[in-house]
Amino acid sequence: MSKPVIALVGRPNVGKSTLFNRLTRTRDAIVADYPGLTRDRQYGTGRVGKEPYIVVDTGGLSGETDGVDPLMAGQVRAALDEADAVLFLVDGRQGLIPGDEVIANYVRQFDKPVQLLVNKAEGYDHDIANSEFFRLGLGEPMAISSAHGDNVAAAIDKVLELMPDKSHIEEDFDLDDHPGVRVAVIGRPNVGKSTLINRMIGEERVVAFDMPGTTRDSIFVPFERNGKPYTLIDTAGVRRRKNIKEKVEKFSIVKAIEAMDDSHVVILVIDGSEGLTDQDLTLLGLAIESGRGLVLAVNKWDNLSTDQREWVKNELSFRLRFADYAKQHLISALHGTGVGDLFKTVDAVHQAAFKRVSTSDLNRVLEQAVLDHQPPLIAGRRVKLRYAHLGGLNPPRVIVHGNQVDKLPDAYTKYLVNVFRKAFKWVGTPVTIEYKASENPFEGRKSKPNSRLSQKAEKSVMKAKLKKKRATTKKRRS
């Protein structure tokens, strides 16, 4: 049912963020030759290896007790708590140092499968690079290069094999048992997710409590509205109220990622009284990356003054331009204001995400888009977009074939996305465009010389020879 979670740990500047970007095939983690850049946990979907998984980048553990290091250690502990396996990175160029032994002892306390990776091993003999790290007692080390990708896929496959078998859990769970439109409700702690779900279904099905961290696990809430089936996915576990006061549990982005993977449409709940936070933007980025339809619900709107409402609207308009396709709803989950309109948008987004369009219609729109705005010149040659077809749904994926399409700038791709979205009413859902470069049938063939040009060249040579001969003869006579 859920993807395994792999945590990356190690000293500062050993290449964790570089490996994170390699595994997720993104540039989400900031990379520089400077220790301590990563302080908070960074989450992403792994795309290297045989099976899907969630990878968590963590800050480096240096063992210092001053500054931000204790806070970073707390983030690492949280990552290790929710991880199913650990990739422990060490620096193969520096060799084994005491800090690595301290981290090894710390990681061993969590009793999780650990794969030791000797990073920055490009150009080194792997046996020699690994030899001194056997002393850590974490099994056989594996030499890799996160910067160049050497041995990374093999390392992921190996750590996935170390995890306990969860096939029996997957057999007991089937998404087909949850009919209708599956809607994931995600958001920061205490923004009103559970209150919103209770309002949407009209009964107290999940625990709503004015304390962050009440939620623990994703739950599925099936119900019907106007004869149409829905399943709401709350990143929450139903808990008895007496247990709520025992411990304030930290919000886990892993649960949000799993809920989005299981859903058709995502509702991101934002606390209007606090405005848009960095964690809201993190969740929004993950929702866009998941490819699911997206609806934004700004909650607690009834508690805001006129000036606050104007400020929040301006902030949303300015900071959410990259997700301008998602419709925004200003609601009050507690009083029900605007909640009914959410269903109309959810239905529209779901229909758009699964809407099929014919190849002829796609090509008609593509042809008109090219006529209205020509692709740019690349090295003096115009990019040619020949034809398009639908490559997938949820989200809609358009495959465009042509010449030099791999060199098209992002601005033109965004232009095409907006044209397709408007033409086919793909509202509230991401639209992806993939390019396929057409093969040149004349590539590799020797070009035949132009006979007319050859004749002109031959005449020019003959004239030059004759002129030279006449000049020589004239010189001799004189």
Side-chain angles (χ1 to χ4, degrees):
M1 177 180 65
S2 60
K3 297 178 183 177
V5 180
I6 301 175
L8 309 180
V9 300
R11 291 185 293 106
N13 212 30
V14 294
K16 297 185 297 298
S17 295
T18 303
L19 181 59
F20 176 89
N21 289 343
R22 172 75 58 179
L23 295 177
T24 59
R25 293 178 180 169
T26 66
R27 295 181 179 179
D28 292 344
I30 300 175
V31 177
D33 189 16
Y34 181 85
L37 279 178
T38 304
R39 295 181 179 179
D40 299 321
R41 286 170 286 168
Q42 179 88 2
Y43 293 80
T45 301
R47 293 180 172 87
V48 175
K50 298 178 180 178
E51 301 177 11
Y53 53 91
I54 297 171
V55 59
V56 188
D57 184 20
T58 64
L61 290 171
S62 63
E64 297 180 4
T65 58
D66 299 329
V68 298
D69 274 27
L71 299 177
M72 291 165 60
Q75 292 287 337
V76 174
R77 173 176 286 276
L80 291 172
D81 281 335
E82 63 191 3
D84 296 304
V86 180
L87 290 178
F88 177 22
L89 274 71
V90 293
D91 192 328
R93 296 179 182 177
Q94 291 185 350
L96 181 63
I97 65 174
D100 294 324
E101 297 179 355
V102 173
I103 298 173
N105 293 331
Y106 180 73
V107 170
R108 197 177 287 111
Q109 300 174 12
F110 291 84
D111 195 26
K112 302 288 179 72
V114 180
Q115 177 59 55
L116 180 60
L117 301 182
V118 182
N119 194 25
K120 305 180 183 180
E122 62 271 17
Y124 288 75
D125 183 278
H126 286 186
D127 292 335
I128 296 176
N130 293 341
S131 58
E132 60 180 318
F133 292 100
F134 280 94
R135 289 173 50 190
L136 294 176
L138 295 174
E140 183 177 359
M142 196 169 187
I144 69 164
S145 171
S146 58
H148 298 86
D150 301 345
N151 230 15
V152 170
I156 285 296
D157 291 338
K158 188 173 181 179
V159 76
L160 289 173
E161 292 175 358
L162 296 175
M163 295 185 187
D165 184 17
K166 295 185 178 181
S167 59
H168 62 286
I169 299 177
E170 295 178 359
E171 291 174 358
D172 296 337
F173 183 87
D174 190 353
L175 285 175
D176 293 333
D177 295 336
H178 301 279
V181 183
R182 293 193 295 273
V183 184
V185 181
I186 65 172
R188 295 183 293 109
N190 207 32
V191 296
K193 300 186 298 294
S194 298
T195 303
L196 177 59
I197 286 184
N198 289 335
R199 175 65 62 178
M200 293 176 73
I201 64 178
E203 60 179 283
E204 297 289 331
R205 287 290 299 273
V206 294
V207 174
F209 195 72
D210 188 18
M211 177 183 290
T214 305
T215 60
R216 288 199 342 187
D217 299 307
S218 299
I219 58 171
F220 291 74
V221 184
F223 72 104
E224 285 191 7
R225 177 182 170 88
N226 297 329
K228 185 173 182 177
Y230 296 86
T231 297
L232 292 177
I233 308 174
D234 183 20
T235 50
V238 178
R239 306 177 64 199
R240 288 178 292 181
R241 289 184 179 272
K242 69 176 185 179
N243 292 331
I244 293 174
K245 298 180 181 179
E246 292 178 359
K247 182 180 179 182
V248 177
E249 301 187 14
K250 292 186 177 180
F251 174 70
S252 174
I253 284 185
V254 172
K255 298 303 179 184
I257 295 176
E258 293 174 351
M260 288 186 283
D261 288 341
D262 294 337
S263 69
H264 299 133
V265 180
V266 175
I267 297 178
L268 173 60
V269 184
I270 300 171
D271 189 337
S273 62
E274 297 182 8
L276 198 62
T277 67
D278 291 340
Q279 194 169 6
D280 291 326
L281 295 174
T282 297
L283 287 170
L284 180 58
L286 292 171
I288 294 174
E289 184 182 350
S290 72
R292 300 299 186 256
L294 181 62
V295 182
L296 302 179
V298 184
N299 193 24
K300 305 180 183 179
W301 192 251
D302 53 330
N303 294 331
L304 303 184
S305 64
T306 303
D307 291 340
Q308 287 177 317
R309 292 182 179 184
E310 193 64 28
W311 177 80
V312 171
K313 286 181 179 179
N314 291 335
E315 187 181 37
L316 294 175
S317 176
F318 177 73
R319 301 184 68 185
L320 298 185
R321 284 179 292 182
F322 66 97
D324 54 1
Y325 65 87
K327 188 170 182 180
Q328 301 175 12
H329 285 266
L330 311 176
I331 68 168
S332 170
L334 185 62
H335 300 98
T337 307
V339 174
D341 295 334
L342 281 176
F343 285 98
K344 297 178 182 178
T345 301
V346 166
D347 290 339
V349 171
H350 180 259
Q351 291 173 7
F354 287 91
K355 182 179 181 180
R356 294 185 177 274
V357 295
S358 65
T359 301
S360 59
D361 288 340
L362 272 174
N363 284 292
R364 174 180 52 80
V365 173
L366 177 63
E367 182 179 356
Q368 186 61 47
V370 172
L371 288 175
D372 293 341
H373 184 39
Q374 286 281 332
L377 291 170
I378 304 295
R381 296 173 55 199
R382 181 77 64 185
V383 176
K384 293 183 179 179
L385 306 181
R386 300 191 180 280
Y387 65 96
H389 61 88
L390 196 63
L393 300 173
N394 194 31
R397 184 165 55 95
V398 180
I399 312 297
V400 178
H401 297 256
N403 294 345
Q404 299 190 98
V405 289
D406 54 332
K407 299 177 182 178
L408 272 174
D410 293 339
Y412 197 82
T413 299
K414 186 175 182 180
Y415 161 71
L416 291 179
V417 166
N418 291 333
V419 169
F420 285 131
R421 187 189 305 282
K422 184 177 179 180
F424 302 114
K425 297 181 180 179
W426 279 331
V427 296
T429 178
V431 177
T432 59
I433 294 182
E434 293 183 11
Y435 295 108
K436 298 289 185 181
S438 302
E439 296 182 1
N440 185 356
F442 300 103
E443 188 176 359
R445 296 185 184 181
K446 292 183 178 180
S447 59
K448 296 181 179 180
N450 189 307
S451 58
R452 184 174 298 177
L453 292 176
S454 299
Q455 292 174 5
K456 288 183 177 180
E458 188 175 353
K459 288 181 180 179
S460 298
V461 172
M462 292 298 293
K463 286 181 178 180
K465 287 183 178 179
L466 182 59
K467 186 177 181 180
K468 184 177 181 180
K469 186 176 180 181
R470 288 176 179 175
T472 304
T473 305
K474 186 176 180 180
K475 186 177 182 181
R476 286 176 181 176
R477 287 179 181 176
S478 61

